[in-house]
Amino acid sequence: MTSDPMSPPKPVAPTNPPLTRTALRRNRIVAVTGLTGVWVLLWGTLSWANLISGLVLSVVLLAVFPLPPVTFAGRIRPVPLARFWVRFLRDLVVASAQIAWLAVRIGKPPLSAIIAVPLRVNTDLNLTLTAEALSLVPGSLIIEADRTTGTLYVHVIGVRSREEVERFRQGVLDLEARIVAAIGSPDELRRVTQPHAAGPSEPAHPEGVPR
């Protein structure tokens, strides 16, 4: 029996691994460190006053507005991590040049599309990292992330055909695979390397492209 390609992905619960006390403590330390770093960067000056005030503010924020648990079940692999950064910087330069050309070229305004990309590893961490890496590349912007299905909805500029829609969707899956290869668990790595592990996709409708 084959599934209807027009039907949306079936809801599945996020597969976040259970938190241990050690992992929970580590996550809190990482969150406090990150929030303190952002506070210091916002002030633009590294001083004891900014550091201490940022630390106190971070602890208060996490106590009043606790963050949902985001666990790290994988391990850092230096070589795939270096490959990810090299490819990410390359994509950043290429996409910047493409957007600059679209801005100055003469002709019709570029078409755009909202593309749904169901990720193969449905964890909060993978969803967040993939969305952040994708949003940092010019020409693509995350407009919604569905935690239930692990689906990213991406607004893309310069899409002219369904072939380009599918090419972009595959590019997002390749980005996810590079992230998982760099920091994912062995089980997550198997999901992105097995062809049948990919979830169903929801077709996108580019603006101006026949449906």
Side-chain angles (χ1 to χ4, degrees), residues 118-122 170 173-174 176-177 191-194 197-199:
L119 301 183
R120 293 160 294 188
V121 178
N122 187 11
Q170 184 58 48
L173 295 179
D174 292 342
E176 177 197 22
R191 294 190 218 172
V192 299
T193 54
Q194 295 174 357

Side-chain angles (χ1 to χ4, degrees), residues 99-117:
I99 294 300
W101 168 247
L102 290 176
V104 300
R105 73 181 180 89
I106 300 175
K108 295 181 180 180
L111 300 177
S112 59
I114 297 176
I115 304 176
V117 186

Side-chain angles (χ1 to χ4, degrees), residues 2 12 28 31 56 59-61 80 101 107 116 140 184 186-187 192 197-198:
T2 59
V12 291
R28 289 174 178 172
V56 173
V59 172
V60 172
L61 284 176
W101 168 247
S140 58
D187 177 64
V192 299

Side-chain angles (χ1 to χ4, degrees), residues 84 87 91 113-121 126-135 137 139-142 144 150-156 159 164-180 192 198 201:
F84 164 78
R87 179 59 185 271
D91 291 343
I114 297 176
I115 304 176
V117 186
L119 301 183
R120 293 160 294 188
V121 178
N126 182 64
L127 194 69
T128 301
L129 292 179
T130 304
E132 289 292 339
L134 194 59
S135 295
V137 177
S140 58
L141 179 66
I142 303 296
E144 185 179 350
T151 302
L152 296 177
Y153 294 87
V154 194
H155 183 270
V156 187
V159 176
E164 292 187 355
V165 167
E166 293 303 324
R167 193 179 305 124
F168 177 83
R169 182 179 284 119
Q170 184 58 48
V172 176
L173 295 179
D174 292 342
L175 171 63
E176 177 197 22
R178 290 193 293 272
I179 292 176
V180 172
V192 299
S201 61

